[in-house]
Amino acid sequence: NYPNPFNPETWIPFELAEDARVALRIYDISGTAVRTLDLGQRPMGEHVDRAHAAYWDGRNQSGEPVASGVYVYELTAAEHGAVRREVRRMVVAK
């Protein structure tokens, strides 16, 4: 994600080998789900600029700002019945 650490928002670039349904799930360090973002169907290729990358505004599912700390994101892409996933850490620094 960029930037990392961040406050209050971050972008998560990704690349798809083929068209896929993409979702982003964010967890706190204890593994509790903080936010789920359904990015919908995305075309094959690079999604790296701010207009196309996954975007998180640093808020939980209720719209409240999250606390400073380490979070984990899981980016999933469902392609032809198979699901690919990437898991990475990021830091919210306030």
Side-chain angles (χ1 to χ4, degrees):
N1 64 302
Y2 178 81
N4 192 14
F6 68 95
N7 179 26
E9 57 193 19
T10 189
W11 286 264
I12 301 166
F14 60 96
E15 184 175 355
L16 298 172
E18 50 188 272
D19 296 355
R21 181 156 191 88
V22 180
L24 179 69
R25 290 178 187 84
I26 299 162
Y27 304 90
D28 64 19
I29 198 65
S30 69
T32 303
V34 173
R35 180 95 180 257
T36 299
L37 301 168
D38 182 0
L39 304 178
Q41 189 71 23
R42 295 291 182 99
M44 172 182 71
E46 294 182 342
H47 300 269
V48 296
D49 61 18
R50 287 184 177 194
H52 298 100
Y55 167 77
W56 182 40
D57 61 4
R59 296 181 178 273
N60 65 19
Q61 204 66 33
S62 299
E64 302 161 329
V66 299
S68 294
V70 177
Y71 291 82
V72 174
Y73 68 85
E74 175 188 39
L75 188 70
T76 59
E79 309 166 332
H80 301 292
V83 177
R84 294 183 49 105
R85 52 179 273 221
E86 295 288 330
V87 177
R88 302 278 189 273
R89 287 179 299 172
M90 60 185 164
V91 177
V92 177
K94 295 185 178 182

